[in-house]
């Protein structure tokens, strides 16, 4: 019996780490799935079971286990496509593992073009990396080939679209990133010290040490870093044993403490190394905006998140490793508390008008039902 059109509307999102609680991409995928279901769309999310996820990092044995886990997931998605393509309207692959867009292409081919396949790209770090290792080169080649074969490509910022178009001569659809609603508490503190917050993981691509060095020499600014990663550990070593009281480095805050921690800061720190511009869009910017707080952005002014900060008047943008400019920006802010209050208002205004999950889901719904 042939299936009716109503039975062919399933939207499948496939992302290996969709069930991870701490993964920012997983959060975005789950939020979108929930919002689309609320609009009456049948949505299925595929991911490695939470108890089977192998964390990144570790030694060679851990990396092998992670690769095997991702390969198993890739094969499972192939099975899902063969078994369920008649129910599908669209198959959306999300970043990991390498080659996942080929599964979407398979769904399109065996359905004779009825299933729409899209590669949703939220991280281009590996494709833009200068790592000459054989594994990185191999995975990059696989990812480029898979993107080339996908029916369509969606990404989260114009800067990323330009990067993809520089690698592949293809049209790229941009659906901006969003963030979940965050309860807004008290207005920003109009008195000194100026309170800065960095929340989340920070690797070498999220430079913080120059900011830490500048803040450590001031008595009118306090900085809290809550998270983990190589850059956090480097900052911890930099301040350890020096009697620096205005820089606090702590572990990740529990989910139920995040909103209060966000509200306790006057400005949120976001950092992305300039050479990585165009490889991702830091979601921390929209978390800050959702909380009604301004942004102190360390990085290039040409990245999507920095463009949003500057266009909305929601913060400042300075170089990641430019200590003098960081210090000058802090001088300007601590001497003009009204500016920080205005940044907070503009930040919330921009978020409410452009970066809620409702805005993102509406664009995705339109994209999924539009003619190809």
């Amino acid at each position: 019996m042939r299936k009716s059109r109503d039975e062919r509307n399933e939207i499948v999102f496939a992302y290996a780490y969709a069930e991870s609680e701490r993964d920012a991409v997983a959060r975005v995928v789950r939020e979108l799935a929930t919002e689309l279901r609320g609009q009456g769309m049948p949505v299925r999310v595929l991911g490695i079971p939470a108890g089977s996820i192998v964390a990144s990092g570790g030694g060679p044995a851990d990396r092998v286990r992670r690769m095997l886990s991702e390969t198993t997931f890739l094969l499972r998605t192939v099975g899902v496509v063969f078994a369920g393509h008649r129910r599908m309207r669209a198959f959306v692959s999300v970043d990991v593992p390498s080659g996942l867009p080929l599964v979407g292409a398979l769904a399109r081919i065996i359905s004779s073009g009825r299933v729409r396949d899209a590669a949703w790209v939220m991280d281009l770090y590996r494709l833009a990396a200068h790592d000459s290792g054989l594994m990185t080169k191999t995975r990059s080649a696989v990812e480029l080939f898979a993107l080339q074969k996908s029916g369509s490509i969606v990404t989260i910022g114009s800067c990323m679209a330009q990067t993809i178009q520089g690698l592949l001569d293809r049209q790229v659809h941009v659906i901006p990133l969003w963030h979940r609603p965050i309860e807004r508490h008290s207005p920003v503190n109009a008195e000194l010290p100026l309170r800065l917050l960095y929340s989340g993981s920070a690797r070498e691509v999220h430079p913080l040490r120059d900011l830490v060095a500048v803040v450590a020499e001031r008595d009118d600014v306090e900085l809290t870093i809550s998270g983990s990663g190589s850059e956090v550990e480097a900052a911890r070593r930099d301040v350890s044993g020096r009697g620096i009281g205005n820089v606090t480095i702590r572990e990740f805050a529990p989910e139920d403490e995040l909103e209060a921690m966000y509200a306790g800061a006057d400005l949120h720190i976001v950092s992305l190394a300039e050479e990585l511009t165009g490889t991702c869009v830091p979601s921390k910017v929209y978390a800050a905006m959702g909380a009604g707080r301004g942004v102190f952005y360390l990085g290039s002014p040409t990245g999507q998140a920095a463009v949003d900060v500057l266009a909305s008047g929601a913060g400042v943008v300075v170089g990641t490793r430019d200590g003098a400019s960081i210090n000058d920006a802090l001088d300007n802010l601590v001497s003009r508390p009204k500016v920080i209050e205005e940044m907070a208002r503009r930040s919330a205004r921009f978020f409410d008008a452009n970066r809620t999950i409702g805005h993102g889901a509406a664009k995705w719904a339109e994209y999924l039902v539009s003619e190809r």
Side-chain angles (χ1 to χ4, degrees), residues 87-352:
R87 296 190 301 273
M88 293 180 191
R89 179 187 184 90
F91 183 98
V92 181
S93 61
V94 187
D95 283 346
V96 178
S98 300
L100 187 57
L102 294 176
V103 182
L106 175 66
R108 168 170 39 90
I109 291 167
I110 64 176
S111 68
S112 299
R114 183 182 55 77
V115 175
R116 181 172 200 173
D117 68 303
W120 188 8
V121 181
M122 286 193 260
D123 186 349
L124 287 168
Y125 173 67
R126 189 158 40 243
L127 294 183
H130 300 294
D131 187 336
S132 59
L134 178 60
M135 181 62 73
T136 298
K137 285 184 175 181
T138 301
R139 293 186 69 176
S140 296
V142 169
E143 290 176 10
L144 279 174
F145 178 76
L147 285 177
Q148 186 67 60
K149 296 300 180 181
S150 65
S152 57
I153 301 174
V154 179
T155 193
I156 55 178
S158 297
C159 60
M160 293 183 68
Q162 291 169 8
T163 299
I164 296 170
Q165 289 164 343
L167 296 167
L168 304 169
D169 185 18
R170 294 204 53 182
Q171 180 180 2
V172 180
H173 193 80
V174 176
I175 298 179
L177 195 58
W178 59 83
H179 201 276
R180 62 178 172 81
I182 296 177
E183 184 178 352
R184 292 168 191 162
H185 294 269
S186 57
V188 296
N189 178 31
E191 300 178 357
L192 296 178
L194 175 67
R195 301 167 302 180
L196 307 178
L197 170 68
Y198 182 92
S199 175
S201 62
R203 298 176 288 133
E204 65 280 358
V205 299
H206 310 110
L208 294 172
R209 297 179 71 182
D210 287 84
L211 171 68
V212 171
V214 169
V215 171
E217 298 299 321
R218 304 181 65 112
D219 59 9
D220 52 2
V221 180
E222 292 180 350
L223 169 64
T224 297
I225 298 175
S226 174
S228 65
S230 58
E231 196 68 9
V232 175
E233 293 310 310
R236 194 190 305 276
R237 291 192 298 271
D238 289 346
V239 302
S240 179
R242 293 179 54 194
I244 298 172
N246 64 333
V247 178
T248 301
I249 301 177
R250 52 170 288 181
E251 300 301 318
F252 277 110
E255 286 289 330
D256 59 359
E257 295 180 12
L258 281 178
E259 289 188 357
M261 186 173 70
Y262 287 172
D266 302 316
L267 289 169
H268 287 220
I269 304 298
V270 180
S271 178
L272 180 67
E274 284 81 353
E275 61 270 22
L276 272 297
T277 302
T279 65
C280 68
V281 177
S283 61
K284 293 179 181 62
V285 166
Y286 308 109
M289 289 179 165
R293 291 296 186 262
V295 179
F296 195 97
Y297 189 95
L298 299 170
S300 167
T302 62
Q304 182 67 62
V307 168
D308 288 344
V309 168
L310 294 174
S312 62
V316 298
V317 177
V318 295
T320 57
R321 301 175 180 90
D322 188 348
S325 293
I326 292 172
N327 196 57
D328 288 346
L330 291 174
D331 279 343
N332 184 54
L333 290 167
V334 298
S335 65
R336 302 167 67 197
K338 293 296 183 183
V339 170
I340 300 172
E341 294 176 4
E342 183 59 25
M343 286 177 178
R345 285 190 289 269
R346 292 182 177 183
S347 183
R349 194 179 306 136
F350 178 84
F351 178 85
D352 292 342

Side-chain angles (χ1 to χ4, degrees), residues 8-159:
R8 295 178 175 181
N9 279 333
E10 185 177 59
I11 311 295
V12 176
F13 289 91
Y15 174 55
Y17 300 103
E19 295 192 23
S20 171
E21 289 301 319
R22 280 290 185 179
D23 188 284
V25 172
R27 174 189 58 76
V28 169
V29 172
R30 292 195 301 266
E31 288 172 354
L32 177 59
T34 299
E35 194 75 11
L36 292 178
R37 289 182 188 122
Q39 297 180 20
M41 291 187 176
V43 177
R44 183 179 183 185
V45 178
L46 304 178
I48 298 170
S52 301
I53 291 175
V54 180
S56 60
D62 294 310
R63 289 193 287 273
V64 170
R65 288 176 56 232
R66 185 175 173 89
M67 183 176 66
L68 291 175
S69 175
E70 291 182 358
T71 302
T72 300
F73 170 72
L74 192 64
L75 294 174
R76 182 163 69 88
T77 62
V78 171
V80 168
V81 164
F82 272 114
H85 69 273
R86 291 179 179 84
R87 296 190 301 273
M88 293 180 191
R89 179 187 184 90
F91 183 98
V92 181
S93 61
V94 187
D95 283 346
V96 178
S98 300
L100 187 57
L102 294 176
V103 182
L106 175 66
R108 168 170 39 90
I109 291 167
I110 64 176
S111 68
S112 299
R114 183 182 55 77
V115 175
R116 181 172 200 173
D117 68 303
W120 188 8
V121 181
M122 286 193 260
D123 186 349
L124 287 168
Y125 173 67
R126 189 158 40 243
L127 294 183
H130 300 294
D131 187 336
S132 59
L134 178 60
M135 181 62 73
T136 298
K137 285 184 175 181
T138 301
R139 293 186 69 176
S140 296
V142 169
E143 290 176 10
L144 279 174
F145 178 76
L147 285 177
Q148 186 67 60
K149 296 300 180 181
S150 65
S152 57
I153 301 174
V154 179
T155 193
I156 55 178
S158 297
C159 60

